[in-house]
Amino acid sequence: MHQMSGSEIAVICHESGFVHQAEQIAKLLGCPYLGLATPSQLTEPALVIEVTAAGIALAETGKKAANPIKVDFVTGALAHRRKYGGGKSQAIAKAIGLNKTKTLQVLDATAGLGRDAFVFACLGCQVTLLERSKVVHLLLADGLKRAEADLEIANIMSQLQLLQVDAKDYFQKLSHLTGQYDIVFLDPMFPHREKSAEVKKEMRIFQKLLGHDLDADQLLEAALDIAKYRVVVKRPKLAPHLADKPPTYQLTGKSGRFDIYVNKAIES
Ligand SMILES: C[S@@+](CC[C@H](N)C(=O)[O-])C[C@H]1O[C@@H](n2cnc3c(N)ncnc32)[C@H](O)[C@@H]1O
């Protein structure tokens, strides 16, 4: 795993009203605050956190920068997914077993930008999200806060709880509480997972920030010790199994596959 050090990322803001917040974020992350600027004016560092009136974003610097990454549960792709995503007949819903029961307690141990967790919550699950990267956690916490203030989805957002922690440490603490979560969901970073240009650009930013999750194999056995019913691993179609462990069965979704490791049949 490569996590960016403080000097490879910095914080900027666009308006004087956000200086205090930007300085606080820089302090929290242990990285420089560069003042009022836009990402295209800078060439270094490679990535900046922008504090804007519309929320916190992660942006590449320079002229050929990809679109900044910001978590948005309220509009755009996730709003579309919430309204027209196919409900419990989606592969991801079947993968966690929502075709067998109304609701599940899900531990999403690699939360990222929270998209999968949001889908679980939209389908009625209670979800605990773990994210170890301070920067990704910051983006996600900001997106959750904005969404909690939106009347249309505030109820859904109340089903999501985010923690900034490494899943390996969390699993260790939980090991005596086996069965607290029905499902453990894992989606570690893997190279070359998407084909669309926009997603590739987003992955480029993410890989600059995080590298690949090279320790991901270690999560599977610990997750299996904790999950009451199953561990579900999201993988690109051609990726090897996590920890080289063949799953009980697989389901194929639009952008990848789900490897399902069953501990026990789901009781409805
Ligand atoms: C591919 S992204 C997950 C995307 C997510 N499923 C979504 O829908 O947005 C993987 C994320 O897992 C995080 N991660 C990887 N290993 C972790 C661990 N051991 N504990 C907590 N977070 C981890 C990475 O920092 C990264 O943000």
Side-chain angles (χ1 to χ4, degrees):
M1 179 199 44
H2 158 91
Q3 298 266 357
M4 270 195 154
S5 70
S7 59
E8 293 169 284
I9 193 160
V11 183
I12 58 172
C13 67
H14 297 188
E15 294 165 46
S16 52
F18 294 96
V19 169
H20 179 67
Q21 193 188 355
E23 283 174 344
Q24 293 293 312
I25 290 171
K27 206 168 153 192
L28 177 87
L29 299 177
C31 69
Y33 165 61
L34 301 181
L36 298 181
T38 59
S40 61
Q41 290 170 331
L42 302 167
T43 49
E44 274 187 356
L47 296 177
V48 286
I49 291 164
E50 288 179 274
V51 184
T52 75
I56 298 171
L58 176 65
E60 271 184 322
T61 53
K63 301 248 169 326
K64 290 186 182 158
N67 287 335
I69 296 178
K70 184 160 69 80
V71 175
D72 181 9
F73 295 111
V74 182
T75 61
L78 282 179
H80 189 268
R81 181 96 190 253
R82 173 168 62 86
K83 291 176 192 151
Y84 313 108
K88 292 189 177 182
S89 59
Q90 298 171 71
I92 192 167
K94 288 188 188 149
I96 64 165
L98 273 175
N99 49 339
K100 298 185 191 292
T101 185
K102 274 204 181 102
T103 180
L104 290 162
Q105 298 276 349
V106 179
L107 178 65
D108 181 347
T110 54
L113 300 178
R115 291 171 284 212
D116 293 321
F118 180 69
V119 172
F120 299 146
C122 288
L123 298 175
C125 298
Q126 295 291 331
V127 192
T128 303
L129 300 86
L130 311 182
E131 175 53 54
R132 69 177 165 193
S133 155
K134 278 189 180 173
V135 174
V136 179
H137 175 267
L138 178 81
L139 296 175
L140 183 50
D142 175 64
L144 289 171
K145 198 171 101 197
R146 277 181 281 111
E148 279 159 15
D150 184 271
L151 286 183
E152 204 181 334
I153 58 170
N155 273 350
I156 295 173
M157 302 321 288
S158 70
Q159 294 158 225
L160 295 160
Q161 192 207 0
L162 171 64
L163 303 172
Q164 200 246 309
V165 63
D166 190 309
K168 294 197 295 295
D169 299 336
Y170 193 75
F171 287 159
Q172 237 173 16
K173 278 192 215 130
L174 264 192
S175 54
H176 63 291
L177 292 174
T178 300
Q180 179 169 332
Y181 294 102
D182 296 321
I183 309 294
V184 179
F185 184 78
L186 302 174
D187 175 21
M189 300 271 292
F190 192 86
H192 315 302
R193 38 182 287 155
E194 302 269 1
K195 290 206 174 66
S196 94
E198 209 36 59
V199 176
K200 263 190 192 161
K201 280 190 189 171
E202 188 185 297
M203 286 308 291
R204 188 174 79 201
I205 299 187
F206 242 61
Q207 282 172 6
K208 267 189 194 172
L209 179 73
L210 304 171
H212 304 155
D213 293 328
L214 297 178
D215 55 350
D217 283 352
Q218 297 169 30
L219 293 177
L220 184 57
E221 284 305 325
L224 275 165
D225 283 345
I226 280 156
K228 183 171 174 190
Y229 297 130
R230 43 176 94 166
V231 175
V232 178
V233 184
K234 184 173 173 182
R235 297 298 270 168
K237 277 192 183 123
L238 299 177
H241 302 308
L242 206 57
D244 283 329
K245 187 178 170 86
T248 316
Y249 69 100
Q250 287 183 344
L251 284 177
T252 307
K254 269 188 200 148
S255 60
R257 62 166 211 265
F258 299 98
D259 290 351
I260 297 144
Y261 300 84
V262 174
N263 268 345
K264 187 177 164 207
I266 293 177
E267 299 143 9
S268 54

